[in-house]
Amino acid sequence: MSRYNFRESEAKWQRHWRERRLFEVTAEPGRPKYYVLEMFPYPSGKLHVGHVRNYTMGDVVARYRRAQGFNVLHPMGWDAFGLPAENAAMAENSHPAVWTHENIRTMRAQLERMGFAYDWSREIATCHPDYYRHEQKMFLDFLAADLAYRRESWVNWDPVENTVLANEQVIDGRGWRSGAIVEKRLLSQWFLRITAFTEELLEAIGGLERWPERVRLMQENWIGRSDGARVFFTIAGTDERIEVFTTRQDTLFGASFLALSPNHPLALRVAEKDAGLAAFIAECNRMGTSEAVIEAAEKRGYATGLEAVHPFDESRHVPIWVANFVLMEYGSGAIFGCPAHDQRDLEFARKYRLPVIPVVLPLGADPANFAIGETPYLDDGTVFNSAFLDGLSVADAKRAAAERLEALGRGERTTAYRLRDWGVSRQRYWGCPIPVIHCESCGIVPVPEKDLPVTLPEDVDFAVPGNPLDHHPTWKHVPCPRCGQPARRETDTFDTFFESSWYFLRFCSARAPTAFDRQAVDYWMPVDQYIGGIEHAVLHLLYSRFFTRALKRCGYLDLDEPFAGLFTQGMVCHQTYQSETGEWLFPEEVETDGAGRLVDAAGREVIAGRHEKMSKSKRNVVGLDAIVDTYGADTARLYLLSDSPPERDLEWTETGIEGIWRYVNRLWRLVSEPPATLPPPGLPIPSRLPAEVATVRRTNHKAIAAVTDDLDKFRFNRAVARIRELTNALDELPVGAPGAAHALREGLETLARLLGPMMPHLAEEMWEQLGHEGSLAEEAWPQSDPELTRDEQVTMAVQVNGKLRATLDIPRDTASAAVEDAALALPQVARWLEGHAPRKVIVVPNRIVNIVA
RNA sequence: GCGGACGUGGCGAAAAGGUAGACGCAGCAGACUUAAAAUCUGCUCCGGGCAACCGGGUGCGGGUUCGAGUCCCGCCGUCCGCACCA
């Protein structure tokens, strides 16, 4: 009994594809294209099976579309800038570039072993000046188009690392690496004006039909549109106005205070003369931004002593407070408080004994007895206690109040968004230098295009905390391009999301001297199928959508949406194991002893934990190399496709992969030692076949139709099940029957073709065994013959009162009346009718008969 | 708090409103073998029955329908995203 020699076969076919450059493509205007892209990896060290699941799905799509005749672009590259390289450099006393390139080498070799159909001639690494020089140019164009700007902004500052931290890097108020308490600091930073496209980005989500609903919702929430009004309150005794944003202008008569953010300009001004307020503001700024801190934080405020004049009633004054729960970044940094109809305002009012004035009456409630207790009233009702708004519904009152504000010049309707401009400055070395120069006399001067790229210096020292570019002895000192006086370079680098916001464009013409060749982009873009993790649902995908629009505005291309189709795949999980002392164990360190208990190598008991996403820290990872060494790439690929729907998490199990390995060998035996002598390829199949053989042919053609449909809809697990059904059917073929050998050949060829995108090496090997010349990768996708998928005989379910009582084998498309007669004639049916005539009979052709007694 | 997704055998799962559990994993029994591995065959939702068969069954409670895992209403649970967002 022979075993499939995947080692030999996989190397052989990989060589075959490489030598013939089968997957290198060029734009062919007029020929239908298909651009398949998997989110490119950060070269962190080694590929894990989670990566491979992602790339396998992409490879199935790429090979399938190719077989369908599309000109398929399927590239791969490296998102190569980022903090881990710097951390590794510090830890290993190496250089980020060295570490990164080593990882790329390792990971590329791993990808090659998997047999993915990439056009390697388009490989890119974003840390290469040939890549990042183009984004420096883009930045200068954005600057000229007012899509990039510099401003002071509050940032999370790690005082030990001497750098800005992203919100995600602040854990419980501390730096994720240093553990130092994070401070808020006002820092001058570069921003990209994503808010110039807010409404466009929001509106266009509706057109992203081939995106998961979930991702579209997440982006909508992230942009966070809310319609309301800005309202101007005058500070009593002055002409000065305070602007407030609200969505509830209908409740203005319920206002009992104004609250300013601690960083509101007015608050800061008052604090100059009010030491108590200054101390309060300082305390607010020290407070962490983490979820836990906010959850536990009490509403706290400080009365400024100032009062504001009510816009609808000048005789009414409300106190102005500074409150810790008002965000400077949202709306105008100031709110009016209506405790009766807002949870936070109510908490605040109760604490500081401010009035609670209900102005919306629930339907049917008695205005004389209605009072607010523990909870505010948030639903619709009738407005009261509100002068000209009395009697209106909430919606009508919103409109009426807004109109009155506009007429009085004390406010106007407006829309606020949660989305903020994208801060791109990082005080880091291993990133793309921001191409500007700071000059004492000329201010900010863009680096002239002829001086691009601004490259990173190689001789850097990571021993000193902070930004190595900043403390490099010479790098930042340059003459001002405008006046020639000594000036200094910007030492911040771009956020690494900058690189991933346009790499899909670079792939269209990866060696172009410009960022990309316009004709190549016009041909290949948009990406037809993008595949990646849900963790990028917002940031990367939103930034890329923005970038595409910004580049369009700067004349680079004519495209709004970069990704026509998006698929977010689930994670790969594995059971976790812990020793009795709580240390995490690798799966290969765990064995089963004679009594069936889990033990480690030394026989100590092991505790099996939850099934979780594979992570290095919990050691529940399986090494890709070990899997491929033991079972081969095809087995790993099929397992990743077969066990769970692709959008759901996949549980990696040893027994699961072994099951696939058994199947691989079964396929191999079926072609290398077929149960009947196969006729040579290309012979027509006899048209008259015994029923058992005809059935197998039907299964064959049904499998083609079903697998085609499943691949179109990303249902890989079902496609695998259909292919296995066909395999089972071929095993049951009566080999001695007339035409059986022909049907067997047809079935085996179908298996090879359908498996081609999933297990390309084995499929090629099968194809060759079946006597074909050349590569299966160049064969067309099989067509199912509709005539051959139709059953002649159907089994119909027969129900009495909705319960299954019998089945009926009957020729397909038998007339309903005849079906009814046949069903009523069944003894099982007669028994349940007990001699009564049926009241009603429903016949669904070829499916079911339901007899209502 | 707001928004969303999902609840089906021992496990991963499948079912255009039409025979629930395809396909696989694990398990049990058997064949081959001196033996094991590999391979092959059969069984495997629950309860009752020697059996044909009968009853029950898709988180819980209702509803629509000839017919509901699927549609509608109300609960319960799990997971995810956002969150002092005014």
Side-chain angles (χ1 to χ4, degrees), chain A residues 329-366:
Chain A
E329 302 84 27
Y330 188 76
S332 60
I335 61 158
F336 82 83
C338 176
H341 306 292
D342 183 280
Q343 181 63 49
R344 289 163 323 209
D345 297 350
L346 185 62
E347 281 173 46
F348 192 76
R350 292 292 187 223
K351 176 156 180 178
Y352 294 106
R353 297 174 202 283
L354 296 162
V356 177
I357 310 158
V359 290
V360 180
L361 191 63
L363 293 175
D366 175 5

Side-chain angles (χ1 to χ4, degrees), chain A residues 10 14 17 47 52 56 59 63 109-117 624 628 632-634 636-637 640 760-761:
Chain A
E10 291 182 353
Q14 283 164 20
W17 300 326
L47 288 181
V52 175
T56 300
D59 205 46
R63 287 174 179 269
Q110 289 182 299
L111 287 177
E112 283 168 349
R113 276 190 85 189
M114 294 305 299
F116 295 129
L624 179 67
V628 178
D634 281 338
R637 291 170 62 123
L640 289 167
H761 315 87

Side-chain angles (χ1 to χ4, degrees), chain A residues 223-246:
Chain A
I223 294 170
R225 178 186 163 121
S226 46
D227 294 310
R230 60 173 69 111
V231 184
F232 309 125
F233 286 76
T234 309
I235 301 174
T238 74
D239 295 335
E240 199 180 336
R241 294 196 316 188
I242 303 172
E243 183 185 321
V244 152
F245 175 76
T246 181

